[in-house]
């Protein structure tokens, strides 16, 4: 087998149910859908943390972010312990095989250090794009804030398509050489504020936008911070008529990114390298965008933000395209061991994730995990510690400074009814708390390394 190339495409704040392939909402993504039809669609993929910076640091290091102190985003007024260049970073390992390592777009792993300090050979951020726009469109000013607005900049000069063209150029250049390559293409879209260009800005009429399944939230028996989040974002009086234009722009931004991705994938096909390239597509986390009446992704661990789209295409391993895999996947934690195993490089023993190679080959893996953990630690509206354990039917959320949450996903897929105080669920809650403790302790989460917090879970000592 020829030494594979890797093309890793990551969007920012893309919901798992906002691709055409999911058949959940009417978002048009023909290029990503085709990728899924040629590869494997992982139906139960989750981010380790629904926050941009720590999720991306976790990907580079291969460990849960709390294990090395990455708790929240930069630039929120709180001190940040980021992943330092002295820490392990698996992209460095690719140098053993003379890979050309390129990172394009959003970084968010360290506020001072660049990808060049973590094993990448080339980094193209957005400075050149900003200079281009300032020179070519100096009159363009945005006024609408986080709600988003139409972008007057033509599609060919939109950031999505500029970044996509950078990827196309590198694919053509690197494929003409002898060395294998790894390209990580990090879009900032559809992170708010969404500002799609035409034709995508007007692609979705408001009457075509259905309510999210979780929109009818009452906040009865929910943690205080969830309703407070509405006030903090000043959306507490929003009706669906207020949200529909925001969601339409979110859809439009996703379709615009899909269009740019299509150009990248067609360039890969034309290069002749597609058969020897593993293509990975995912998102760092999701977005509420009006679901549960909320903005953004903070103070909650609903599936809207922790469940992510995840696709892998690699013809030499995947026997049948269009396969759907329902195993629980932690995208940022399982990708590092997968890539290292694919390239026959050593996989560190401290990785909590597992290689997806057996699943890609269609093997039955009886001991594959039956649950998934995601975490949250607070952000711009204050610190707030959460840990989630989710199985196929149940989701338990440990909120260390407020009431816990428990959702029966079979009966309540949109997580509207908190059953944490249901007497019929008492034994289940006690068992999930023990399981959660065991996972957190095994994966280096310092939250359970003191007696008070440990007792809450192990002895069910929670009100």
């Amino acid at each position: 087998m020829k030494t594979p190339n890797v093309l890793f495409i990551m969007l920012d704040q893309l919901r798992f149910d906002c691709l055409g392939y999911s058949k959940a909402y009417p978002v048009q993504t023909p290029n990503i859908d085709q990728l899924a039809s040629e590869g494997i669609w992982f139906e139960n993929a989750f981010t380790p943390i629904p926050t941009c910076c720590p999720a991306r640091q976790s990907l580079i290091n291969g460990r849960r972010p709390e294990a090395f102190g990455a708790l929240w985003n930069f630039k929120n007024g709180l001190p940040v312990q980021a992943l330092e260049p002295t820490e392990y970073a698996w992209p460095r390992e690719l140098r053993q095989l003379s890979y050309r390592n390129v990172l394009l777009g959003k970084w968010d792993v360290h506020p001072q250090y660049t990808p060049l300090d973590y094993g990448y050979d080339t980094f193209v951020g957005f400075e050149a794009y900003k200079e281009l726009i300032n020179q070519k469109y100096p009159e363009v000013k945005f006024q609408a804030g986080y709600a988003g607005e139409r972008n007057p900049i033509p599609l060919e000069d939109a950031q999505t398509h500029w970044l996509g063209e950078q990827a196309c150029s590198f694919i053509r250049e690197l494929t003409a050489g002898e060395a294998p390559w790894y390209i990580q293409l990090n879009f900032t879209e559809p992170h708010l504020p969404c500002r799609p260009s035409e034709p995508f800005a007007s692609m979705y009429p408001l009457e075509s936008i259905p309510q999210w399944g979780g929109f009818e939230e009452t906040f009865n028996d929910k943690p205080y911070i969830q309703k407070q989040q509405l006030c903090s974002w000043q959306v507490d009086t929003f009706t669906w008529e207020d949200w529909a234009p925001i969601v339409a722009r979110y859809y439009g931004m996703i379709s615009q990114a899909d269009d740019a991705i299509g150009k990248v994938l067609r360039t890969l096909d034309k290069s002749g390298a597609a058969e020897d390239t593993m293509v990975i597509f995912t998102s760092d986390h999701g977005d509420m965008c009006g679901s549960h009446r909320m903005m953004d992704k903070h103070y909650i661990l609903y599936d809207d933000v922790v469940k992510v789209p995840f696709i892998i295409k690699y013809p030499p391993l995947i026997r049948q395209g269009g396969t759907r895999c329902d195993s629980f996947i932690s995208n940022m934690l399982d990708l590092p061991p997968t890539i290292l195993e694919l390239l026959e490089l050593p996989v560190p023993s401290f990785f909590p994730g597992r290689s997806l190679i057996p699943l890609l080959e269609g093997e039955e893996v009886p001991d594959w995990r039956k649950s998934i953990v995601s975490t949250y630690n607070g952000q711009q509206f204050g610190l707030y510690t959460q840990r989630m354990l989710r199985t196929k039917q149940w989701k338990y959320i440990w909120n260390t400074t407020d009431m816990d949450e428990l959702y029966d996903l079979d009966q309540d897929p949109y997580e509207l009814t908190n059953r944490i105080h249901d007497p019929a669920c008492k034994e289940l809650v006690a068992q999930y708390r023990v399981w959660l403790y065991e996972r957190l302790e095994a994966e280096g989460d310092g939250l359970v390394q003191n007696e008070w917090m440990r007792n809450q879970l192990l002895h069910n000592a929670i009100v």
Side-chain angles (χ1 to χ4, degrees):
M1 185 184 300
K2 184 177 178 181
T3 303
N5 307 308
V6 179
L7 173 60
F8 178 21
I9 303 170
M10 182 159 60
L11 269 65
D12 188 354
Q13 211 145 307
L14 173 64
R15 293 171 59 102
F16 76 99
D17 51 11
C18 280
L19 295 177
Y21 202 79
S22 74
K23 302 186 186 305
Y25 293 101
V27 189
Q28 298 179 39
T29 53
N31 298 294
I32 299 170
D33 295 353
Q34 181 176 344
L35 182 66
S37 71
E38 296 169 347
I40 291 184
W41 168 273
F42 292 91
E43 296 187 329
N44 283 304
F46 292 78
T47 182
I49 184 168
T51 316
C52 301
C53 298
R56 291 160 190 268
Q57 293 171 67
S58 184
L59 170 68
I60 297 298
N61 180 260
R63 290 183 294 164
R64 188 167 295 286
E66 290 83 10
F68 53 86
L71 302 181
W72 44 72
N73 284 342
F74 315 139
K75 302 177 183 177
N76 71 341
L78 296 169
V80 171
Q81 179 174 329
L83 182 72
E84 297 297 324
T86 52
E87 293 274 8
Y88 174 86
W90 63 265
R92 295 192 187 107
E93 305 303 311
L94 274 59
R95 290 175 172 171
Q96 298 180 38
L97 301 178
S98 301
Y99 268 75
R100 287 286 307 279
N101 289 357
V102 177
L103 192 140
L104 306 173
K106 184 169 181 174
W107 173 229
D108 268 5
V109 168
H110 199 284
Q112 283 85 43
Y113 295 105
T114 77
L116 304 183
D117 298 296
Y118 296 82
Y120 294 89
D121 305 305
T122 305
F123 171 48
V124 178
F126 293 110
E127 290 77 10
Y129 177 74
K130 293 175 182 176
E131 183 177 345
L132 169 70
I133 296 304
N134 287 337
Q135 292 178 355
K136 198 169 181 179
Y137 304 99
E139 74 286 355
V140 171
K141 305 294 180 185
F142 296 108
Q143 305 294 333
Y146 286 111
E149 57 202 296
R150 185 185 70 84
N151 192 338
I153 295 173
L155 185 64
E156 61 268 21
D157 285 335
Q159 182 173 277
T160 48
H161 288 58
W162 178 87
L163 187 63
E165 184 52 42
Q166 304 305 306
C168 292
S169 296
F170 274 102
I171 288 172
R172 288 189 288 262
E173 174 190 335
L174 297 179
T175 301
E178 296 296 324
W181 49 262
Y182 171 86
I183 296 176
Q184 187 171 329
L185 176 57
N186 290 352
F187 289 89
T188 63
E189 292 78 17
H191 192 294
L192 50 76
C194 291
R195 293 167 176 153
S197 298
E198 293 294 356
F200 300 101
S202 56
M203 186 173 186
Y204 296 97
L206 298 186
E207 61 272 15
S208 73
I209 309 296
Q211 282 191 184
W212 301 116
F215 185 71
E216 298 296 335
E217 177 64 79
T218 65
F219 300 105
N220 291 334
D221 295 319
K222 296 291 185 81
Y224 147 84
I225 194 64
Q226 295 191 18
K227 195 169 185 179
Q228 176 61 39
Q229 202 249 42
L230 274 63
C231 297
S232 298
W233 277 104
Q234 299 180 346
V235 296
D236 50 311
T237 62
F238 275 27
T239 65
W240 184 248
E241 285 68 31
D242 298 306
W243 277 111
I246 298 173
V247 178
R249 286 188 285 271
Y250 182 72
Y251 283 11
M253 203 72 257
I254 295 168
S255 293
Q256 180 173 313
D258 175 81
D259 189 68
I261 290 167
K263 295 179 185 298
V264 174
L265 296 177
R266 287 190 291 275
T267 299
L268 179 63
D269 288 338
K270 291 177 183 177
S271 75
E275 289 297 309
D276 302 314
T277 301
M278 174 178 278
V279 180
I280 301 163
F281 175 86
T282 194
S283 174
D284 56 354
H285 52 76
D287 190 341
M288 298 307 285
C289 198
S291 182
H292 294 262
R293 299 165 50 201
M294 295 182 185
M295 181 78 83
D296 210 17
K297 70 269 187 181
H298 297 295
Y299 306 98
I300 34 84
L301 292 172
Y302 291 125
D303 274 8
D304 308 75
V305 299
V306 294
K307 196 172 183 181
V308 292
F310 191 42
I311 301 165
I312 295 181
K313 175 189 174 184
Y314 186 50
L317 289 185
I318 298 172
R319 300 187 182 95
Q320 182 176 356
T323 300
R324 292 176 180 261
C325 176
D326 65 357
S327 299
F328 279 111
I329 306 301
S330 183
N331 66 339
M332 302 300 192
L333 299 180
D334 290 338
L335 275 174
T338 300
I339 293 172
L340 292 179
E341 182 177 329
L342 175 73
L343 306 184
E344 299 182 353
L345 290 168
V347 177
S349 60
F350 57 77
F351 277 3
R354 296 183 62 174
S355 169
L356 302 170
I357 298 296
L359 298 181
L360 297 178
E361 294 178 324
E363 293 182 18
E364 293 290 332
V365 187
D367 66 340
W368 195 264
R369 66 175 74 93
K370 301 297 190 295
S371 63
I372 201 76
V373 169
S374 290
T375 65
Y376 180 75
N377 302 290
Q379 192 56 41
Q380 62 266 51
F381 304 136
L383 303 184
Y384 187 67
T385 307
Q386 297 181 284
R387 301 292 184 263
M388 176 200 87
L389 180 71
R390 187 196 191 281
T391 61
K392 289 286 178 63
Q393 181 179 357
W394 294 95
K395 175 186 287 188
Y396 167 66
I397 301 172
W398 180 31
N399 295 316
T400 63
T401 56
D402 205 327
M403 73 167 67
D404 287 355
E405 297 165 76
L406 180 71
Y407 301 105
D408 181 345
L409 301 172
D410 285 350
Q411 303 299 319
D412 179 26
Y414 300 117
E415 303 169 82
L416 295 170
T417 303
N418 183 12
R419 296 184 59 188
I420 194 64
H421 294 132
D422 185 340
C425 298
K426 185 176 181 180
E427 292 184 9
L428 181 143
V429 170
Q431 180 63 74
Y432 272 54
R433 284 170 174 162
V434 171
W435 288 343
L436 177 60
Y437 167 80
E438 291 171 348
R439 284 287 295 278
L440 296 177
E441 195 278 333
E443 296 179 3
D445 191 330
L447 181 64
V448 294
Q449 299 305 312
N450 71 70
E451 182 178 359
W452 295 281
M453 306 309 287
R454 184 165 55 244
N455 284 345
Q456 284 190 24
L457 296 180
L458 288 181
H459 302 302
N460 200 27
I462 302 176
V463 175

